[in-house]
PDB file of all heavy atoms in Angstrom:
ATOM      1  N   VAL P   1       0.863  -1.168   0.000  1.00 75.00           N
ATOM      2  CA  VAL P   1       0.000   0.000   0.000  1.00 75.00           C
ATOM      3  C   VAL P   1       0.905   1.224   0.000  1.00 75.00           C
ATOM      4  O   VAL P   1       1.629   1.463   0.972  1.00 75.00           O
ATOM      5  CB  VAL P   1      -0.924   0.020   1.241  1.00 75.00           C
ATOM      6  CG1 VAL P   1      -1.793   1.260   1.237  1.00 75.00           C
ATOM      7  CG2 VAL P   1      -1.754  -1.240   1.287  1.00 75.00           C
ATOM      8  N   PRO P   2       0.906   1.991  -1.068  1.00 74.00           N
ATOM      9  CA  PRO P   2       1.777   3.171  -1.090  1.00 74.00           C
ATOM     10  C   PRO P   2       1.265   4.243  -0.132  1.00 74.00           C
ATOM     11  O   PRO P   2       0.064   4.358   0.116  1.00 74.00           O
ATOM     12  CB  PRO P   2       1.699   3.635  -2.543  1.00 74.00           C
ATOM     13  CG  PRO P   2       0.421   3.096  -3.047  1.00 74.00           C
ATOM     14  CD  PRO P   2       0.167   1.823  -2.303  1.00 74.00           C
ATOM     15  N   LEU P   3       2.180   5.000   0.402  1.00 67.00           N
ATOM     16  CA  LEU P   3       1.812   6.069   1.314  1.00 67.00           C
ATOM     17  C   LEU P   3       1.180   7.214   0.537  1.00 67.00           C
ATOM     18  O   LEU P   3       1.519   7.484  -0.612  1.00 67.00           O
ATOM     19  CB  LEU P   3       3.042   6.578   2.052  1.00 67.00           C
ATOM     20  CG  LEU P   3       3.710   5.582   2.990  1.00 67.00           C
ATOM     21  CD1 LEU P   3       4.986   6.167   3.557  1.00 67.00           C
ATOM     22  CD2 LEU P   3       2.767   5.234   4.125  1.00 67.00           C
ATOM     23  N   ALA P   4       0.255   7.898   1.171  1.00 73.00           N
ATOM     24  CA  ALA P   4      -0.418   9.007   0.512  1.00 73.00           C
ATOM     25  C   ALA P   4       0.483  10.233   0.449  1.00 73.00           C
ATOM     26  O   ALA P   4       0.353  11.062  -0.439  1.00 73.00           O
ATOM     27  CB  ALA P   4      -1.708   9.343   1.248  1.00 73.00           C
ATOM     28  N   LYS P   5       1.395  10.372   1.381  1.00 75.00           N
ATOM     29  CA  LYS P   5       2.301  11.510   1.356  1.00 75.00           C
ATOM     30  C   LYS P   5       3.723  10.998   1.524  1.00 75.00           C
ATOM     31  O   LYS P   5       3.967   9.908   2.037  1.00 75.00           O
ATOM     32  CB  LYS P   5       1.962  12.505   2.452  1.00 75.00           C
ATOM     33  CG  LYS P   5       2.085  11.934   3.849  1.00 75.00           C
ATOM     34  CD  LYS P   5       1.750  12.963   4.889  1.00 75.00           C
ATOM     35  CE  LYS P   5       1.948  12.362   6.281  1.00 75.00           C
ATOM     36  NZ  LYS P   5       1.741  13.329   7.318  1.00 75.00           N
ATOM     37  N   VAL P   6       4.641  11.820   1.111  1.00 73.00           N
ATOM     38  CA  VAL P   6       6.051  11.460   1.186  1.00 73.00           C
ATOM     39  C   VAL P   6       6.567  11.805   2.576  1.00 73.00           C
ATOM     40  O   VAL P   6       6.358  12.919   3.062  1.00 73.00           O
ATOM     41  CB  VAL P   6       6.865  12.208   0.109  1.00 73.00           C
ATOM     42  CG1 VAL P   6       8.333  11.906   0.246  1.00 73.00           C
ATOM     43  CG2 VAL P   6       6.353  11.849  -1.262  1.00 73.00           C
ATOM     44  N   VAL P   7       7.198  10.869   3.206  1.00 72.00           N
ATOM     45  CA  VAL P   7       7.764  11.089   4.530  1.00 72.00           C
ATOM     46  C   VAL P   7       9.266  11.246   4.358  1.00 72.00           C
ATOM     47  O   VAL P   7       9.942  10.365   3.830  1.00 72.00           O
ATOM     48  CB  VAL P   7       7.444   9.900   5.470  1.00 72.00           C
ATOM     49  CG1 VAL P   7       8.094  10.103   6.817  1.00 72.00           C
ATOM     50  CG2 VAL P   7       5.949   9.729   5.593  1.00 72.00           C
ATOM     51  N   ASP P   8       9.762  12.394   4.799  1.00 77.00           N
ATOM     52  CA  ASP P   8      11.191  12.673   4.673  1.00 77.00           C
ATOM     53  C   ASP P   8      11.846  12.401   6.021  1.00 77.00           C
ATOM     54  O   ASP P   8      11.549  13.075   7.013  1.00 77.00           O
ATOM     55  CB  ASP P   8      11.395  14.126   4.243  1.00 77.00           C
ATOM     56  CG  ASP P   8      12.841  14.413   3.925  1.00 77.00           C
ATOM     57  OD1 ASP P   8      13.589  13.445   3.653  1.00 77.00           O
ATOM     58  OD2 ASP P   8      13.230  15.602   3.952  1.00 77.00           O
ATOM     59  N   ILE P   9      12.692  11.427   6.062  1.00 80.00           N
ATOM     60  CA  ILE P   9      13.383  11.062   7.294  1.00 80.00           C
ATOM     61  C   ILE P   9      14.773  11.658   7.230  1.00 80.00           C
ATOM     62  O   ILE P   9      15.557  11.352   6.330  1.00 80.00           O
ATOM     63  CB  ILE P   9      13.452   9.536   7.457  1.00 80.00           C
ATOM     64  CG1 ILE P   9      12.049   8.967   7.525  1.00 80.00           C
ATOM     65  CG2 ILE P   9      14.243   9.174   8.704  1.00 80.00           C
ATOM     66  CD1 ILE P   9      12.005   7.465   7.548  1.00 80.00           C
ATOM     67  N   LYS P  10      15.046  12.553   8.182  1.00 83.00           N
ATOM     68  CA  LYS P  10      16.353  13.205   8.221  1.00 83.00           C
ATOM     69  C   LYS P  10      17.243  12.491   9.220  1.00 83.00           C
ATOM     70  O   LYS P  10      16.790  12.072  10.286  1.00 83.00           O
ATOM     71  CB  LYS P  10      16.202  14.670   8.605  1.00 83.00           C
ATOM     72  CG  LYS P  10      15.429  15.466   7.572  1.00 83.00           C
ATOM     73  CD  LYS P  10      15.313  16.902   7.992  1.00 83.00           C
ATOM     74  CE  LYS P  10      14.512  17.662   6.945  1.00 83.00           C
ATOM     75  NZ  LYS P  10      14.310  19.050   7.319  1.00 83.00           N
ATOM     76  N   ALA P  11      18.483  12.397   8.864  1.00 82.00           N
ATOM     77  CA  ALA P  11      19.438  11.750   9.751  1.00 82.00           C
ATOM     78  C   ALA P  11      19.761  12.694  10.907  1.00 82.00           C
ATOM     79  O   ALA P  11      20.008  13.888  10.710  1.00 82.00           O
ATOM     80  CB  ALA P  11      20.705  11.387   9.001  1.00 82.00           C
ATOM     81  N   VAL P  12      19.735  12.181  12.108  1.00 82.00           N
ATOM     82  CA  VAL P  12      20.049  12.973  13.287  1.00 82.00           C
ATOM     83  C   VAL P  12      21.525  12.808  13.574  1.00 82.00           C
ATOM     84  O   VAL P  12      22.031  11.692  13.670  1.00 82.00           O
ATOM     85  CB  VAL P  12      19.201  12.507  14.489  1.00 82.00           C
ATOM     86  CG1 VAL P  12      19.555  13.302  15.734  1.00 82.00           C
ATOM     87  CG2 VAL P  12      17.732  12.633  14.170  1.00 82.00           C
ATOM     88  N   THR P  13      22.210  13.934  13.692  1.00 83.00           N
ATOM     89  CA  THR P  13      23.638  13.868  14.008  1.00 83.00           C
ATOM     90  C   THR P  13      23.831  14.250  15.459  1.00 83.00           C
ATOM     91  O   THR P  13      23.224  15.216  15.953  1.00 83.00           O
ATOM     92  CB  THR P  13      24.432  14.815  13.100  1.00 83.00           C
ATOM     93  OG1 THR P  13      23.935  16.140  13.259  1.00 83.00           O
ATOM     94  CG2 THR P  13      24.307  14.401  11.642  1.00 83.00           C
ATOM     95  N   TYR P  14      24.623  13.515  16.115  1.00 83.00           N
ATOM     96  CA  TYR P  14      24.925  13.773  17.520  1.00 83.00           C
ATOM     97  C   TYR P  14      26.347  14.293  17.617  1.00 83.00           C
ATOM     98  O   TYR P  14      27.258  13.806  16.947  1.00 83.00           O
ATOM     99  CB  TYR P  14      24.790  12.489  18.351  1.00 83.00           C
ATOM    100  CG  TYR P  14      23.384  11.947  18.386  1.00 83.00           C
ATOM    101  CD1 TYR P  14      23.015  10.861  17.619  1.00 83.00           C
ATOM    102  CD2 TYR P  14      22.429  12.539  19.196  1.00 83.00           C
ATOM    103  CE1 TYR P  14      21.722  10.371  17.660  1.00 83.00           C
ATOM    104  CE2 TYR P  14      21.143  12.046  19.238  1.00 83.00           C
ATOM    105  CZ  TYR P  14      20.795  10.966  18.468  1.00 83.00           C
ATOM    106  OH  TYR P  14      19.522  10.479  18.507  1.00 83.00           O
ATOM    107  N   GLU P  15      26.514  15.294  18.494  1.00 86.00           N
ATOM    108  CA  GLU P  15      27.861  15.802  18.725  1.00 86.00           C
ATOM    109  C   GLU P  15      28.524  14.925  19.771  1.00 86.00           C
ATOM    110  O   GLU P  15      27.874  14.466  20.721  1.00 86.00           O
ATOM    111  CB  GLU P  15      27.788  17.243  19.209  1.00 86.00           C
ATOM    112  CG  GLU P  15      27.232  18.178  18.159  1.00 86.00           C
ATOM    113  CD  GLU P  15      27.201  19.610  18.651  1.00 86.00           C
ATOM    114  OE1 GLU P  15      27.902  19.930  19.628  1.00 86.00           O
ATOM    115  OE2 GLU P  15      26.466  20.392  18.054  1.00 86.00           O
ATOM    116  N   PRO P  16      29.819  14.689  19.621  1.00 87.00           N
ATOM    117  CA  PRO P  16      30.492  13.832  20.605  1.00 87.00           C
ATOM    118  C   PRO P  16      30.557  14.527  21.970  1.00 87.00           C
ATOM    119  O   PRO P  16      30.704  15.732  22.076  1.00 87.00           O
ATOM    120  CB  PRO P  16      31.877  13.629  20.013  1.00 87.00           C
ATOM    121  CG  PRO P  16      32.067  14.751  19.064  1.00 87.00           C
ATOM    122  CD  PRO P  16      30.704  15.145  18.575  1.00 87.00           C
ATOM    123  N   VAL P  17      30.407  13.730  23.000  1.00 87.00           N
ATOM    124  CA  VAL P  17      30.457  14.233  24.376  1.00 87.00           C
ATOM    125  C   VAL P  17      31.848  13.943  24.910  1.00 87.00           C
ATOM    126  O   VAL P  17      32.315  12.805  24.889  1.00 87.00           O
ATOM    127  CB  VAL P  17      29.379  13.538  25.237  1.00 87.00           C
ATOM    128  CG1 VAL P  17      29.466  13.988  26.687  1.00 87.00           C
ATOM    129  CG2 VAL P  17      28.009  13.798  24.666  1.00 87.00           C
ATOM    130  N   ASN P  18      32.490  14.991  25.375  1.00 87.00           N
ATOM    131  CA  ASN P  18      33.833  14.825  25.942  1.00 87.00           C
ATOM    132  C   ASN P  18      33.703  14.604  27.447  1.00 87.00           C
ATOM    133  O   ASN P  18      33.176  15.455  28.169  1.00 87.00           O
ATOM    134  CB  ASN P  18      34.689  16.060  25.678  1.00 87.00           C
ATOM    135  CG  ASN P  18      34.980  16.216  24.197  1.00 87.00           C
ATOM    136  OD1 ASN P  18      35.089  15.226  23.485  1.00 87.00           O
ATOM    137  ND2 ASN P  18      35.097  17.455  23.731  1.00 87.00           N
ATOM    138  N   LEU P  19      34.129  13.471  27.896  1.00 85.00           N
ATOM    139  CA  LEU P  19      34.107  13.156  29.323  1.00 85.00           C
ATOM    140  C   LEU P  19      35.511  13.329  29.876  1.00 85.00           C
ATOM    141  O   LEU P  19      36.485  12.852  29.273  1.00 85.00           O
ATOM    142  CB  LEU P  19      33.624  11.723  29.543  1.00 85.00           C
ATOM    143  CG  LEU P  19      32.194  11.425  29.099  1.00 85.00           C
ATOM    144  CD1 LEU P  19      31.897   9.953  29.281  1.00 85.00           C
ATOM    145  CD2 LEU P  19      31.199  12.248  29.886  1.00 85.00           C
ATOM    146  N   HIS P  20      35.597  14.009  30.997  1.00 83.00           N
ATOM    147  CA  HIS P  20      36.904  14.254  31.620  1.00 83.00           C
ATOM    148  C   HIS P  20      36.982  13.418  32.895  1.00 83.00           C
ATOM    149  O   HIS P  20      36.277  13.686  33.867  1.00 83.00           O
ATOM    150  CB  HIS P  20      37.077  15.740  31.945  1.00 83.00           C
ATOM    151  CG  HIS P  20      37.008  16.610  30.732  1.00 83.00           C
ATOM    152  ND1 HIS P  20      38.020  16.666  29.800  1.00 83.00           N
ATOM    153  CD2 HIS P  20      36.028  17.440  30.265  1.00 83.00           C
ATOM    154  CE1 HIS P  20      37.689  17.503  28.838  1.00 83.00           C
ATOM    155  NE2 HIS P  20      36.473  17.983  29.089  1.00 83.00           N
ATOM    156  N   TYR P  21      37.789  12.400  32.837  1.00 79.00           N
ATOM    157  CA  TYR P  21      37.995  11.550  33.997  1.00 79.00           C
ATOM    158  C   TYR P  21      39.187  12.085  34.780  1.00 79.00           C
ATOM    159  O   TYR P  21      40.152  12.591  34.190  1.00 79.00           O
ATOM    160  CB  TYR P  21      38.260  10.106  33.563  1.00 79.00           C
ATOM    161  CG  TYR P  21      37.067   9.461  32.893  1.00 79.00           C
ATOM    162  CD1 TYR P  21      37.033   9.268  31.518  1.00 79.00           C
ATOM    163  CD2 TYR P  21      35.977   9.058  33.641  1.00 79.00           C
ATOM    164  CE1 TYR P  21      35.940   8.680  30.902  1.00 79.00           C
ATOM    165  CE2 TYR P  21      34.877   8.474  33.038  1.00 79.00           C
ATOM    166  CZ  TYR P  21      34.867   8.289  31.672  1.00 79.00           C
ATOM    167  OH  TYR P  21      33.786   7.715  31.082  1.00 79.00           O
ATOM    168  N   PRO P  22      39.129  11.944  36.091  1.00 74.00           N
ATOM    169  CA  PRO P  22      40.293  12.433  36.873  1.00 74.00           C
ATOM    170  C   PRO P  22      41.507  11.538  36.624  1.00 74.00           C
ATOM    171  O   PRO P  22      41.386  10.336  36.425  1.00 74.00           O
ATOM    172  CB  PRO P  22      39.823  12.338  38.324  1.00 74.00           C
ATOM    173  CG  PRO P  22      38.727  11.329  38.294  1.00 74.00           C
ATOM    174  CD  PRO P  22      38.095  11.428  36.946  1.00 74.00           C
ATOM    175  N   VAL P  23      42.639  12.181  36.589  1.00 72.00           N
ATOM    176  CA  VAL P  23      43.888  11.448  36.383  1.00 72.00           C
ATOM    177  C   VAL P  23      44.308  10.874  37.732  1.00 72.00           C
ATOM    178  O   VAL P  23      44.452  11.595  38.705  1.00 72.00           O
ATOM    179  CB  VAL P  23      44.983  12.376  35.822  1.00 72.00           C
ATOM    180  CG1 VAL P  23      46.283  11.613  35.648  1.00 72.00           C
ATOM    181  CG2 VAL P  23      44.524  12.983  34.514  1.00 72.00           C
ATOM    182  N   LEU P  24      44.480   9.587  37.784  1.00 67.00           N
ATOM    183  CA  LEU P  24      44.852   8.928  39.032  1.00 67.00           C
ATOM    184  C   LEU P  24      46.365   8.806  39.107  1.00 67.00           C
ATOM    185  O   LEU P  24      47.014   8.373  38.162  1.00 67.00           O
ATOM    186  CB  LEU P  24      44.199   7.551  39.112  1.00 67.00           C
ATOM    187  CG  LEU P  24      42.669   7.536  39.120  1.00 67.00           C
ATOM    188  CD1 LEU P  24      42.163   6.109  39.121  1.00 67.00           C
ATOM    189  CD2 LEU P  24      42.123   8.277  40.314  1.00 67.00           C
ATOM    190  N   LYS P  25      46.879   9.193  40.229  1.00 68.00           N
ATOM    191  CA  LYS P  25      48.314   9.067  40.454  1.00 68.00           C
ATOM    192  C   LYS P  25      48.527   7.947  41.463  1.00 68.00           C
ATOM    193  O   LYS P  25      47.617   7.568  42.195  1.00 68.00           O
ATOM    194  CB  LYS P  25      48.882  10.376  40.976  1.00 68.00           C
ATOM    195  CG  LYS P  25      48.609  11.518  40.010  1.00 68.00           C
ATOM    196  CD  LYS P  25      49.585  12.614  40.229  1.00 68.00           C
ATOM    197  CE  LYS P  25      49.218  13.785  39.393  1.00 68.00           C
ATOM    198  NZ  LYS P  25      49.655  14.236  38.349  1.00 68.00           N
ATOM    199  N   ASP P  26      49.709   7.447  41.497  1.00 66.00           N
ATOM    200  CA  ASP P  26      49.982   6.312  42.381  1.00 66.00           C
ATOM    201  C   ASP P  26      49.743   6.644  43.850  1.00 66.00           C
ATOM    202  O   ASP P  26      49.283   5.810  44.618  1.00 66.00           O
ATOM    203  CB  ASP P  26      51.422   5.843  42.198  1.00 66.00           C
ATOM    204  CG  ASP P  26      51.609   5.130  40.878  1.00 66.00           C
ATOM    205  OD1 ASP P  26      50.581   4.740  40.279  1.00 66.00           O
ATOM    206  OD2 ASP P  26      52.744   4.971  40.416  1.00 66.00           O
ATOM    207  N   HIS P  27      50.072   7.858  44.296  1.00 67.00           N
ATOM    208  CA  HIS P  27      49.903   8.171  45.711  1.00 67.00           C
ATOM    209  C   HIS P  27      48.437   8.399  46.072  1.00 67.00           C
ATOM    210  O   HIS P  27      48.095   8.449  47.238  1.00 67.00           O
ATOM    211  CB  HIS P  27      50.763   9.391  46.102  1.00 67.00           C
ATOM    212  CG  HIS P  27      50.332  10.672  45.449  1.00 67.00           C
ATOM    213  ND1 HIS P  27      50.721  11.008  44.179  1.00 67.00           N
ATOM    214  CD2 HIS P  27      49.543  11.680  45.903  1.00 67.00           C
ATOM    215  CE1 HIS P  27      50.192  12.182  43.858  1.00 67.00           C
ATOM    216  NE2 HIS P  27      49.477  12.605  44.896  1.00 67.00           N
ATOM    217  N   ASN P  28      47.532   8.557  45.073  1.00 66.00           N
ATOM    218  CA  ASN P  28      46.113   8.717  45.361  1.00 66.00           C
ATOM    219  C   ASN P  28      45.364   7.379  45.412  1.00 66.00           C
ATOM    220  O   ASN P  28      44.212   7.351  45.844  1.00 66.00           O
ATOM    221  CB  ASN P  28      45.438   9.587  44.303  1.00 66.00           C
ATOM    222  CG  ASN P  28      45.872  11.038  44.386  1.00 66.00           C
ATOM    223  OD1 ASN P  28      46.295  11.502  45.438  1.00 66.00           O
ATOM    224  ND2 ASN P  28      45.758  11.740  43.270  1.00 66.00           N
TER     225      ASN P  28
END
């Protein structure tokens, strides 16, 4: 069954998330 109207599906782009983990040192 063809659709009565054209559905335009746009690609969603996600921006990368920068996660900052604490730097662990040996004495910590």
Side-chain angles (χ1 to χ4, degrees):
V1 179
L3 295 175
K5 62 180 183 176
V6 176
V7 177
D8 187 21
I9 299 174
K10 296 180 181 177
V12 178
T13 58
Y14 296 103
E15 295 181 18
V17 177
N18 293 328
L19 297 176
H20 300 287
Y21 294 105
V23 178
L24 298 177
K25 302 203 186 257
D26 288 344
H27 66 277
N28 290 336

